[in-house]
Each structure stands twice: as structure tokens, then as C-alpha cells.
Amino acid sequence: MTVNENSQLTVALSKGRIMTDTLRLLKAAGIPVPDDLEESRKLILESPDGSIRYILAKPVDVPTYVEYGVADLGIVGKDVLLEAERDLYELLDLGIGRCRMCVCGLPEAHHGTVKRVASKYMRIAADHFRNQGQQVEVIFLNGSVELAPLIGLTDRIVDLVETGRTLAENGLVIHEEILQISTRLVANRMSFRLKSEQIDHITARLRDVTAKSFTVGE
Ligand SMILES: Nc1ncnc2c1ncn2[C@@H]1O[C@H](COP(=O)(O)OP(=O)(O)OP(=O)(O)O)[C@@H](O)[C@H]1O
Ligand SMILES: O=P(O)(O)OC[C@H]1O[C@H](OP(=O)(O)OP(=O)(O)O)[C@H](O)[C@@H]1O
């Protein structure tokens, strides 16, 4: 089948941790995916029938591509969406990439005052403490955030917790859960209107497999 450029959809996928589950979901939903997508070093790939062009992006950049309309759809974590605050539509919770955004620290610091917090999520961390009426300094770190309370940089961290292994192996504990995180399907606002038929079709198929996997898992 040949597809003209206007009806082709561009979908921005998050590279990394959520990619395998994303592809599993897309395939289960019968959405065409290139066979070599995970092995390839290409950043733009077309589905075998030409109906979808995939762009492989860093998770943090997916909302940017979607807001600017160079991607019609995106698949990305709720953590990234909350932090980016981009102007786009969130269509569906895909139920993969599940984890929790938490305030963590040393066990003995549990009831102590919070002065400094380290995080990769500046906005989420600042909003959380502001909503609690606490004035804290949020320090940006790019990764291995658990180091901060261990070496005395901050008294708390705000970070993702999945299995809890990273916290446990570093002698840290959860002080508070801020929110549950999972992967979402998002759309560009203009594409949502102009390509509604294709987008509705993909959303419905993904909703169907997502609902089924919830039922099986529970
Ligand atoms: N344990 C976890 N830690 C981090 N992210 C997780 C976890 N479990 C699920 N996720 C989801 O996966 C996404 C992160 O994926 P990944 O670690 O590949 O990207 P990244 O943060 O850009 O990585 P890096 O900057 O280390 O390359 C998060 O945005 C979140 O939605
Ligand atoms: O509860 P767990 O299953 O241990 O997962 C949580 C850890 O995973 C993530 O880090 P990542 O591996 O992405 O490395 P990073 O610290 O460099 O971001 C996250 O930032 C935590 O450190």
C-alpha cells in the first residue's frame, strides 16, 4: 500500500527503558512496526506498509517533537510530561513503565526539616514542596540522584522508584509518595483534529490491548 504524506502518521517513541514494552504493545494492537526498530541505529524508520513513520527520541525530547507538530503522536512517561508542561493532548494511559515518584532520604532524616532536595525533576519537586508550604532549595542532578543525601549534598531526593532496589542498596527509604507514573500516548493538538481518523484508530487499538493486559495482570 502506498500512503501519501498527508495521511502518514509520525510517531515519536522514547528510546531506552520503555522501548521493548512499547513495541510489544504496538505489535499486540496490530499497529505496523519495522522489524529492525530495536536493533537499528537509524533514528527515523518507516513501517513496512508506509503508514507510520517512527522517530526514536530521548524521552525528555518526545513532548517537544509533539508540541511542535513534527510528530503527530508520542509515547512517553507521565514523569516527563509533568516536568515538560508542553501544550499537547494526553490520549491514553498505556499501563507500561509503571513506577512511583517519591521523596526519599536517609531513614533517620524522616522527621527532620527539609532544606535542600536533589532531583532530575525540578518542577515536580518544587511544586510538591510548595504545595506543602515548605520552602526548599531544589538542586538539579542528571542521574544517580541517590548519591546526594549519602554524601551530604541534600537532605532529600525526589526520584522514581520502581523495585526499590536502588534505595535499599544505598540505605535510603521512601519518605512520601508523590504520584504513580506510567507511559502515556500523547498527540499534537492540530494533528488530533486534522488526522483524527488515523489517530482515533490507533488510540482505540491501543486502548483495547491495554485494557486486556490490565485484566490478565490483575
Ligand atoms: N525505575 C525506573 N527508573 C526510571 N524511569 C523509569 C523506571 N521505570 C519506568 N520508568 C520510565 O522510563 C522512563 C525513563 O527511561 P530511561 O531511563 O530509558 O530514560 P532517561 O531517563 O532519558 O535515561 P538516561 O538519561 O539515563 O538515558 C521514565 O521517564 C519513566 O517514565
Ligand atoms: O527502584 P529501582 O528499580 O531501583 O529503580 C529506580 C532507579 O532507576 C532509575 O535510575 P536509572 O537506572 O535510570 O539511572 P539514573 O540514576 O542514572 O537515572 C531511577 O532514577 C532510580 O535511581
Side-chain angles (χ1 to χ4, degrees):
M1 186 171 77
T2 20
V3 179
N4 73 39
E5 211 171 284
N6 289 338
S7 65
Q8 189 183 54
L9 272 191
T10 300
V11 181
L13 301 181
S14 295
K15 291 201 287 186
R17 196 184 284 265
I18 62 171
M19 182 58 92
T20 303
D21 281 349
T22 299
L23 293 176
R24 184 183 52 76
L25 260 190
L26 291 170
K27 286 176 189 165
I31 297 163
V33 177
D35 289 335
D36 60 342
L37 193 144
E38 251 184 315
E39 297 75 45
S40 169
R41 290 290 302 162
K42 276 192 178 176
L43 299 174
I44 305 176
L45 297 101
E46 243 182 40
S47 63
D49 68 351
S51 64
I52 303 179
R53 184 169 65 140
Y54 291 97
I55 62 174
L56 273 52
K58 286 282 285 183
V60 74
D61 295 329
V62 167
T64 311
Y65 291 120
V66 176
E67 184 188 83
Y68 282 87
V70 290
D72 302 300
L73 291 175
I75 292 184
V76 67
K78 182 70 178 177
D79 51 324
V80 174
L81 290 172
L82 287 170
E83 194 59 26
E85 265 197 347
R86 289 284 180 184
D87 185 24
L88 32 79
Y89 289 127
E90 192 180 308
L91 302 181
L92 193 61
D93 181 346
L94 295 170
I96 58 171
R98 287 178 178 277
C99 51
R100 299 178 288 160
M101 184 70 70
C102 297
V103 180
C104 311
L106 289 162
E108 58 271 26
H110 206 145
H111 299 292
T113 46
V114 188
K115 286 196 187 117
R116 294 204 294 198
V117 176
S119 189
K120 201 166 154 178
Y121 301 92
M122 297 292 280
R123 194 190 301 265
I124 294 172
D127 285 353
H128 175 73
F129 288 102
R130 192 181 312 109
N131 291 340
Q132 291 192 336
Q134 297 197 68
Q135 241 199 339
V136 304
E137 180 186 357
V138 184
I139 298 175
F140 178 78
L141 289 178
N142 229 320
S144 302
V145 178
E146 290 84 358
L147 274 173
L150 297 178
I151 56 163
L153 177 66
T154 64
D155 25 64
R156 297 284 192 283
I157 61 169
V158 167
D159 199 16
L160 295 174
V161 179
E162 188 187 0
T163 62
R165 186 176 161 197
T166 311
L167 290 180
E169 291 197 11
N170 290 289
L172 299 173
V173 295
I174 295 174
H175 290 190
E176 265 177 280
E177 181 179 313
I178 302 178
L179 75 156
Q180 303 266 346
I181 300 293
S182 55
T183 304
R184 310 297 163 105
L185 176 70
V186 294
N188 171 266
R189 287 183 178 273
M190 192 75 87
S191 306
F192 187 71
R193 279 197 287 275
L194 297 179
K195 297 185 176 180
S196 61
E197 204 177 309
Q198 297 116 291
I199 291 179
D200 285 351
H201 177 72
I202 286 186
T203 308
R205 288 192 151 207
L206 283 169
R207 184 179 291 116
D208 196 37
V209 291
T210 306
K212 276 184 190 141
S213 55
F214 277 137
T215 319
V216 172
E218 278 165 9

